[in-house]
Amino acid sequence: MATQGRSITPLRSLTLDLPPSCIEFCSAHPDYFVVGTYNLQKEDSAAQDAVQDEEHQQTKKHTQSRNGSLILFQLTATGDIDHIQTVLYPSAILDLHFHPLWEERGGVMAVVSSTGTLSFFKLSVSDGTPASLEEISTHRPLQGDEGVLFLSCAWHPHIPYLLAITTSDCQVCILHVDAAWNVSEAKPEAVMAHTLEAWTVAFSPSIPKKGDSAEASPSTDNLEVFPVYSGGDDSKLLVTYCEYSAARVGDGDSLIETLYPAVTVKGHGAGVTAILPLGPLFSDISSVVITGSYDDHIRVYSINDQTSDMPPYEPRLLAGQNLQGGVWRLKLAKLETGGQRWAAIILASCMHAGSRVVQVAGNTATGLCEIKVLGRFEEHKSMNYGSDFQPGFEARGRRLWCVSTSFYDRLLCLWNYECEGHLDA
């Protein structure tokens, strides 16, 4: 079996009040990170109670009640973790992400919950006053049953108004978020649907439309085409291509059009829980997409984007490796390209196996790809659902400062990994 990397020891550890489900550092304020928690409240009595009516006795099951919180921490220059603020939330938190375009919408994060709500919070940091999380707004964008959970969310990497969400009733939807943080559906129906829970979603950067020229017609001037990927408990990785027109905003038309039905990428032995698109890396504009699954494997695919009005060629599996635990989340720390070579450093949250620092390296000419586990952090005694690294690590040397969490033992740990030398491709 391939080496699983060197063992990493914790620098700091603390126990949270509620089980952590997700975590993210803020790129606009990289010393701060937020942990979302998920608490399934215990019932005071048995799971059922009897309800009498005039003719017969009915049995009514209690709906599971969940709540959570958002916990703001600061990573100090001395390597300590300071608790800054806890914001109680009436539902359990499933996912949270700060806006990637922090210069335009800096410090604002999207939060999705167990009751189908989407909230926006702003992290305010200023000299002389403590940092704080402030709620901007909360929405129920799909107007659905409160029993439907929002399982994940993802911002588009450079179209600032697009946010994708996935749901426990198998849907993948794209929302439009305006400058005032009002929310509407960018497309009235789901862009993709699984047959079981839709666990995760990811945008890939926009791709050039073949046949584009400097003399494009006015009707296509504002069109952008981009892939959307989703993973479900049905063991499927789905991909479709969407066309977005900013010119349609405010005219009542759908802002998003799917160009063809979703294509299924096969090869996973269990639910697809993490997706990390690296974007086009090959000369034929094929994209590299890395996935994680409940089957303990990380996989690397090449998916040819060819044109905006036809499905991609048959996706090609470049590499795969067992990480010894279900791969719940993947975070890109570094991507380097040069000539025909590319290499990425990735932080993987591997459920019962803890966290892994992974290098994925490939050659665009030969198509060869290699996955190497560089380091493993295994102090967690239960499910590692959330890990992240402090942004801007290369400005402080090549040391990754990482915070990882585990669910049932409510543990939060600080550790680091030295990225020695150059990335091998």
Side-chain angles (χ1 to χ4, degrees), residues 99 105-106 108-109 120 136-137 139 155 160 177-183:
H99 201 289
R105 313 192 93 180
V108 174
M109 67 176 179
F120 300 110
I136 299 173
S137 60
H139 308 270
W155 292 104
V177 183
D178 70 16
W181 306 102
N182 299 307
V183 179

Side-chain angles (χ1 to χ4, degrees), residues 25-86:
F25 275 90
C26 178
S27 294
H29 308 290
D31 293 338
Y32 294 88
F33 64 92
V34 176
V35 175
T37 68
Y38 181 111
N39 181 46
L40 183 59
Q41 294 175 299
K42 296 179 180 179
E43 299 291 348
D44 295 331
S45 58
Q48 298 181 355
D49 60 0
V51 179
Q52 289 278 351
D53 64 19
E54 293 181 357
E55 297 182 358
H56 64 281
Q57 177 175 300
Q58 296 177 332
T59 300
K60 178 183 179 182
K61 290 185 178 181
H62 284 297
T63 300
Q64 287 185 316
S65 182
R66 306 173 180 92
N67 61 11
S69 61
L70 297 166
I71 313 172
L72 176 63
F73 292 97
Q74 182 180 15
L75 179 58
T76 70
T78 58
D80 288 321
I81 299 175
D82 288 350
H83 172 250
I84 304 299
Q85 181 188 10
T86 296

Side-chain angles (χ1 to χ4, degrees), residues 141-356:
L142 301 186
Q143 303 296 325
D145 184 351
E146 285 192 14
V148 174
L149 288 66
F150 284 2
L151 299 179
S152 70
C153 64
W155 292 104
H156 193 281
H158 68 255
I159 302 176
Y161 304 114
L162 296 185
L163 177 75
I165 58 171
T166 67
T167 71
S168 60
D169 65 347
C170 317
Q171 306 298 302
V172 181
C173 302
I174 297 180
L175 305 176
H176 181 264
V177 183
D178 70 16
W181 306 102
N182 299 307
V183 179
S184 58
E185 293 181 68
K187 183 177 176 62
E189 62 276 355
V191 296
M192 290 184 286
H194 290 264
T195 55
L196 294 171
E197 291 92 339
W199 286 123
T200 189
V201 63
F203 290 105
S204 194
S206 300
I207 61 175
K209 296 182 68 176
K210 287 193 175 179
D212 279 357
S213 70
E215 297 164 357
S217 70
S219 63
T220 62
D221 276 347
N222 295 315
L223 291 179
E224 293 201 62
V225 177
F226 52 84
V228 183
Y229 301 91
S230 68
D233 209 44
D234 52 9
S235 305
K236 293 178 181 178
L237 171 67
L238 300 182
V239 55
T240 192
Y241 287 76
C242 293
E243 186 179 75
Y244 167 76
S245 173
R248 298 176 187 148
V249 174
D251 66 6
D253 291 338
S254 175
L255 306 181
I256 296 286
E257 297 294 340
T258 51
L259 300 178
Y260 50 80
V263 173
T264 299
V265 179
K266 300 178 181 179
H268 299 87
V272 179
T273 47
I275 305 170
L276 179 60
L278 299 185
L281 293 179
F282 291 85
S283 59
D284 64 354
I285 70 171
S286 289
S287 292
V288 172
V289 179
I290 303 174
T291 66
S293 171
Y294 277 139
D295 67 8
D296 297 355
H297 281 72
I298 183 174
R299 293 176 174 87
V300 185
Y301 289 90
S302 170
I303 299 178
N304 192 296
D305 295 325
Q306 55 170 334
T307 69
S308 63
D309 55 0
M310 293 181 65
Y313 292 128
E314 184 68 25
R316 186 159 57 103
L317 179 63
L318 302 179
Q321 184 165 325
N322 190 324
L323 296 187
Q324 301 181 322
V327 184
W328 184 253
R329 287 291 181 264
L330 297 168
K331 296 263 188 171
L332 178 64
K334 177 67 176 178
L335 175 63
E336 291 183 349
T337 59
Q340 297 174 339
R341 303 190 307 169
W342 60 272
I345 295 289
I346 295 166
L347 177 61
S349 300
C350 297
M351 298 178 72
H352 65 271
S355 301
R356 298 287 188 270

Side-chain angles (χ1 to χ4, degrees), residues 334-416:
K334 177 67 176 178
L335 175 63
E336 291 183 349
T337 59
Q340 297 174 339
R341 303 190 307 169
W342 60 272
I345 295 289
I346 295 166
L347 177 61
S349 300
C350 297
M351 298 178 72
H352 65 271
S355 301
R356 298 287 188 270
V357 179
V358 180
Q359 177 180 278
V360 180
N363 186 299
T364 60
T366 65
L368 295 178
C369 183
E370 181 185 11
I371 301 171
K372 182 189 300 183
V373 178
L374 303 178
R376 52 191 170 85
F377 183 80
E378 299 176 317
E379 292 296 312
H380 296 291
K381 305 307 178 186
S382 70
M383 297 296 196
N384 169 216
Y385 287 128
S387 310
D388 202 8
F389 60 91
Q390 188 176 30
F393 75 96
E394 288 199 309
R396 300 180 297 276
R398 297 185 66 86
R399 180 173 295 176
L400 275 178
W401 287 88
C402 303
V403 178
S404 57
T405 63
S406 46
F407 193 77
Y408 296 107
D409 56 359
R410 297 177 283 117
L411 190 64
L412 183 147
C413 297
L414 172 69
W415 48 277
N416 62 39

